[in-house]
Amino acid sequence: MKISRPAPLLKLLSVSFVFGSLALCLSAQAQAPNPAAPADAPAATAGAAGTVAGGARGGNPPPPPVVTPIPAGATPILTIQANDMTKKSSPILYGFMTEEINFSYEGGLYGELVANRAFKWSADQPNFWLLVQDNGGTGNMALDPSQPLNLALNTSLKLDITSASANQRVGIANEGFWGFPVRPSTKYTGSLYAKASANFKEPLTIALVSNDSTKVFATAQIPALTGDWKKYPYTLNTAADVTPTKDARLLIWATTPGTIWFDQVSLFPPTWNDRPNGLRKDIMQLLVDYKPGFLRFPGGNYLEGRSPATRWDWKKTIGPVEERPGHVDDSWANYWSTDGLGLMEFLLWCEDMKAQPVIGVYAGFSLGGRGGIAVGPDLEPYIQDALDEIEYVSGNVNTKWGAQRAKDGHPAPFPVPMIEIGNEDNLGGGAATYPQRFGQMFDAIRAKYPEVKIVSSTAVNSRPVDVIDYHSYPRSAATFQGDSGHFDSMDRNGPKYFVGEYATRVGTPNNNTATNNMDGALGDAAWLSGFERNSDLVMMASYAPLFVNVNPGGQQWAIDLIGYDALNSYGSPSYYAQKIFSTNHGDAIVPVTGTNTPTLTRARDGLVQQGAPLFYSATRDTKTGTIYLKVVNVGNSPLPVQIDVKGVSSVAPDGQLTTMAASAVSDTNSITDRTKLAPVTTKVSGLSTSFMRTFPPFSVSALQIQAK
Ligand code: AHR
């Protein structure tokens, strides 16, 4: 079989192999699936309080921490004032932020396996699609905008089979997003639109096949086509003895001459909760296990685009998937989004995680911006879009947009507790106009939806904002460790805070990896202890970016929380550190004081930080009395700590300890070693109102103490 890409081609590979009983020849243009942007662009950002920017990637590994010894004979003591529960801890403190970056949806969470399913990725050539010419069969393929499926999918793929026979098959093949995930005993659900010239009467065959074409994992037939566009559902079932692989592609072929047009060629694996057009199960499992309180979407820069035309335009992301035009994600790498994961899918994603939506609405400012859309009448259509969006999500079915939501399959309204106006409007020239743009949008949303909390994307004084989104992306763990007290003495009478994007951007090698190492997790965990201690003020926190496809070319941004390829996914050490926090969280903050805790000096980025190598916070469940003590030991030696529980009459001797510990800060997880670092939960005994516990070096722990 000869398999080739259409012109213009860069480089031709030629491989001979065997497909069934046929000797085949494959030719293909070497082409990275992703025309990725330079990995450092756009830059990371500063948040509301104006600290911390991304800066250059790379740099030296962190110097080893230097711990100043505890005074001779002194024992570090953490004293928990367990009866002081006056401050409520935000119930939605730990959540997620998401946007299309690093192949987050197609090639990531969104279950679609066919890359460039509607052929709109490029107007020049059908990226990800190959021409199949088996054993002397001939044909050619090309985009055909003259035969669109509809107004939204305004092109199709035309396959002209000029010569074919039973052993000279001709067809097309899709490479998927770095392969197709093939698993045993699995049902894949697909559909495609097709039509054919009058002389073509034959059924098509569709199959999942190994890249060298020696293995056919599953096959289905598409009945004879007609001259009109028609949708053809199909299923592919793999056998029980299939070895899991991502070394596979999707093939569609025929054995007689004729012309066939294809559009919206789609294939899904089993999805989370079996939703059609649904989400990938393994990644959803990681998300659900985290017990997130909220999901901020759709960005991030992805909300804004480089221009208003490439912003995330929610009205184009709803309804039947084959009627969504899609758009180019020019915020990141100029790659195509079909918007198959659109507004409804974001909301169902929230519902499936039992997380609140935090919807970002376009505020008239794009990355290519220069101040954005002028306030006044020019901004009105965008404000109307935001109001319509709230109505779509939460309006009753008698409203225009509530009725549309019902038509789209979800009559019950979704909650809209919070709306964020814009994204990082302090950057790129947005700051000068944000107070006015924010003011105009705030007034309209507040007037119609007074119960909705309004989040500003940066600090703003033009209106009484409810919540400020604050972003921070330091390049050293020491920065977050040194700044863990960031919110300790902030005004409690002003707006609440949403740390909508944060990450310690370190990993190996050269901080250029998809996901971080334990050093980064220890920076993030120290920072989290500060959020939790201040979670009467810090309502929500979310790491960013959430996802990365770890294949070469899949990544636009280092460092990310969850990595995957077509077959597997894994949590970074920071994912697990945060999961330890989010799954050990009470509804009241209880004060913890440290005595004799050692001090640490760490130099990085020209800074010398003084701080405690022990970071800690505690919350308590006011119904059950359970205390959740978090301890982060960033030091390189085991640390025995005395824990005193004050204000209770008794502590049960048995408790539960969850710890993630590393032998070196450079330890990490990867797609090939997915749980090298992961929390371990054990029963512990010997607890009382005053007891000793030793925390391992480089560790994040949550201790559950039952107290009355
Ligand atoms: O999380 C990556 C990017 O960082 C977001 O898109 C943007 O809001 C910030 O600059």
Side-chain angles (χ1 to χ4, degrees):
M1 180 178 285
K2 196 170 143 197
I3 301 181
S4 58
R5 291 176 210 274
L9 302 183
L10 299 176
K11 185 177 162 195
L12 217 58
L13 303 175
S14 200
V15 183
S16 291
F17 55 93
V18 176
F19 182 21
S21 60
L22 303 168
L24 307 169
C25 173
L26 175 154
S27 334
Q29 176 197 359
Q31 173 189 321
N34 168 33
D40 268 338
T45 61
T51 52
V52 190
R57 180 184 295 192
N60 301 319
V66 180
V67 179
T68 307
I70 307 160
T75 304
I77 302 170
L78 294 180
T79 304
I80 306 170
Q81 200 56 52
N83 59 342
D84 181 352
M85 295 183 282
T86 49
K87 288 182 178 169
K88 295 283 155 228
S89 181
S90 169
I92 55 165
L93 178 58
Y94 302 105
F96 295 129
M97 176 272 181
T98 179
E99 66 176 320
E100 182 52 270
I101 184 174
N102 302 327
F103 290 79
S104 284
Y105 308 145
E106 278 143 277
L109 179 68
Y110 182 45
E112 178 62 82
L113 299 178
V114 178
N116 195 17
R117 68 184 179 191
F119 311 107
K120 292 185 72 174
W121 188 286
S122 154
D124 301 328
Q125 59 178 7
N127 292 34
F128 300 97
W129 289 93
L130 310 167
L131 178 66
V132 176
Q133 299 174 104
D134 179 2
N135 210 24
T138 56
N140 51 71
M141 69 171 185
L143 295 177
D144 189 354
S146 76
Q147 298 293 324
L149 176 64
N150 54 36
L151 286 175
L153 303 190
N154 55 4
T155 193
S156 60
L157 185 72
K158 179 181 178 185
L159 171 67
D160 265 327
I161 304 177
T162 45
S163 165
S165 65
N167 67 349
Q168 293 181 310
R169 296 167 293 180
V170 176
I172 55 174
N174 187 266
E175 299 175 295
F177 294 97
W178 295 273
F180 280 74
V182 175
R183 293 190 173 83
S185 305
T186 302
K187 179 180 173 186
Y188 297 80
T189 307
S191 63
L192 58 83
Y193 285 80
K195 63 177 185 173
S197 56
N199 64 334
F200 185 81
K201 304 278 185 221
E202 189 203 338
L204 298 173
T205 305
I206 187 159
L208 275 171
V209 176
S210 61
N211 283 335
D212 66 4
S213 298
T214 58
K215 294 187 205 90
V216 180
F217 301 113
T219 314
Q221 293 284 307
I222 306 283
L225 310 180
T226 70
D228 297 317
W229 283 115
K230 198 173 155 206
K231 183 176 183 179
Y232 297 91
Y234 64 95
T235 53
L236 292 170
N237 292 291
T238 54
D241 60 355
V242 159
T243 306
T245 181
K246 58 186 166 58
D247 180 21
R249 51 171 64 126
L250 185 71
L251 248 61
I252 309 170
W253 73 80
T255 57
T256 55
T259 303
I260 308 164
W261 289 266
F262 295 95
D263 215 334
Q264 191 75 357
V265 181
S266 176
L267 184 66
F268 279 74
T271 58
W272 187 261
N273 283 346
D274 291 326
R275 288 195 190 280
N277 196 44
L279 307 179
R280 187 170 145 173
K281 283 173 119 173
D282 57 330
I283 301 178
M284 272 302 278
Q285 191 67 59
L286 286 166
L287 301 181
V288 167
D289 288 350
Y290 183 107
K291 297 195 194 317
F294 67 91
L295 178 71
R296 173 183 173 228
F297 64 86
N301 293 355
Y302 183 58
L303 168 70
E304 306 166 274
R306 293 227 155 254
S307 70
T310 54
R311 76 190 192 280
W312 189 77
D313 188 351
W314 74 269
K315 286 176 181 162
K316 295 182 179 159
T317 75
I318 58 170
V321 284
E322 65 279 8
E323 289 171 20
R324 302 183 193 177
H327 76 290
V328 66
D329 178 9
D330 60 358
S331 310
W332 291 107
N334 280 320
Y335 67 73
W336 190 257
S337 169
T338 64
D339 288 322
L341 199 163
L343 178 56
M344 175 60 81
E345 289 74 25
F346 277 115
L347 295 166
L348 293 172
W349 174 7
C350 291
E351 199 166 89
D352 284 348
M353 295 194 299
K354 300 186 174 52
Q356 292 185 7
V358 177
I359 304 174
V361 295
Y362 181 71
F365 183 76
S366 295
L367 300 173
R370 299 222 183 110
I373 309 282
V375 287
D378 288 359
L379 195 58
E380 280 305 324
Y382 300 97
I383 296 177
Q384 192 56 50
D385 267 354
L387 295 173
D388 292 346
E389 185 173 2
I390 300 173
E391 186 175 290
Y392 179 88
V393 178
S394 64
N396 75 45
V397 295
N398 300 322
T399 61
K400 174 181 171 190
W401 289 105
Q404 181 64 47
R405 183 195 64 242
K407 194 171 159 210
D408 293 344
H410 203 285
F414 295 94
V416 181
M418 227 172 276
I419 288 288
E420 177 159 356
I421 298 181
N423 176 61
E424 294 188 338
D425 286 83
N426 51 323
L427 298 178
T433 55
Y434 190 57
Q436 294 74 36
R437 288 184 288 112
F438 179 81
Q440 193 177 340
M441 294 197 82
F442 179 100
D443 292 345
I445 295 171
R446 181 66 19 117
K448 187 152 185 208
Y449 297 102
E451 68 291 352
V452 172
K453 285 200 169 23
I454 297 182
V455 184
S456 63
S457 77
T458 184
V460 67
N461 292 324
S462 61
R463 294 295 184 280
V465 59
D466 299 311
V467 184
I468 297 174
D469 189 352
Y470 174 85
H471 298 176
S472 190
Y473 288 108
R475 291 287 183 162
S476 79
T479 305
F480 270 162
Q481 287 156 8
D483 197 32
S484 130
H486 187 96
F487 295 97
D488 284 351
S489 47
M490 268 195 193
D491 179 16
R492 263 43 187 182
N493 299 313
K496 303 271 189 207
Y497 277 89
F498 171 22
V499 185
E501 297 182 24
Y502 71 88
T504 306
R505 298 182 72 193
V506 296
T508 51
N510 300 322
N511 295 344
N512 196 18
T513 43
T515 50
N516 69 4
N517 57 19
M518 189 64 181
D519 189 37
L522 291 169
D524 294 330
W527 183 235
L528 284 177
S529 69
F531 300 162
E532 190 170 270
R533 187 165 58 246
N534 292 286
S535 53
D536 57 323
L537 177 67
V538 180
M539 277 186 80
M540 302 178 294
S542 45
Y543 190 100
L546 177 58
F547 293 137
V548 62
N549 188 313
V550 299
N551 280 290
Q555 177 187 6
Q556 289 89 53
W557 179 287
I559 300 288
D560 309 291
L561 194 65
I562 291 173
Y564 44 79
D565 60 15
L567 201 59
N568 293 306
S569 54
Y570 70 97
S572 64
S574 265
Y575 163 82
Y576 285 116
Q578 290 166 58
K579 185 180 162 201
I580 290 174
F581 274 74
S582 67
T583 55
N584 288 279
H585 183 211
D587 56 324
I589 305 164
V590 287
V592 189
T593 342
T595 313
N596 297 331
T597 50
T599 60
L600 170 143
T601 304
R602 186 177 245 184
R604 182 73 198 263
D605 295 339
L607 297 172
V608 176
Q609 303 276 349
Q610 291 282 346
L614 256 201
F615 296 89
Y616 42 82
S617 61
T619 56
R620 190 169 184 195
D621 185 319
T622 51
K623 288 206 186 72
T624 63
T626 305
I627 299 164
Y628 300 93
L629 173 68
K630 317 290 165 49
V631 178
V632 182
N633 180 12
V634 307
N636 54 4
S637 46
L639 199 63
V641 178
Q642 178 180 322
I643 296 167
D644 289 349
V645 188
K646 302 285 186 198
V648 296
S649 46
S650 66
V651 163
D654 295 333
Q656 181 179 290
L657 179 68
T658 303
T659 298
M660 173 172 66
S663 48
V665 287
S666 57
D667 283 358
T668 192
N669 294 336
S670 66
I671 196 71
T672 49
D673 195 356
R674 298 189 288 277
T675 50
K676 181 181 168 75
L677 294 178
V680 176
T681 298
T682 50
K683 294 282 169 220
V684 289
S685 54
L687 310 191
S688 66
T689 51
S690 183
F691 61 96
M692 291 298 296
R693 190 85 233 157
T694 297
F695 293 96
F698 311 130
S699 67
V700 179
S701 301
L703 181 60
Q704 290 189 15
I705 304 166
Q706 309 298 334
K708 282 197 235 157

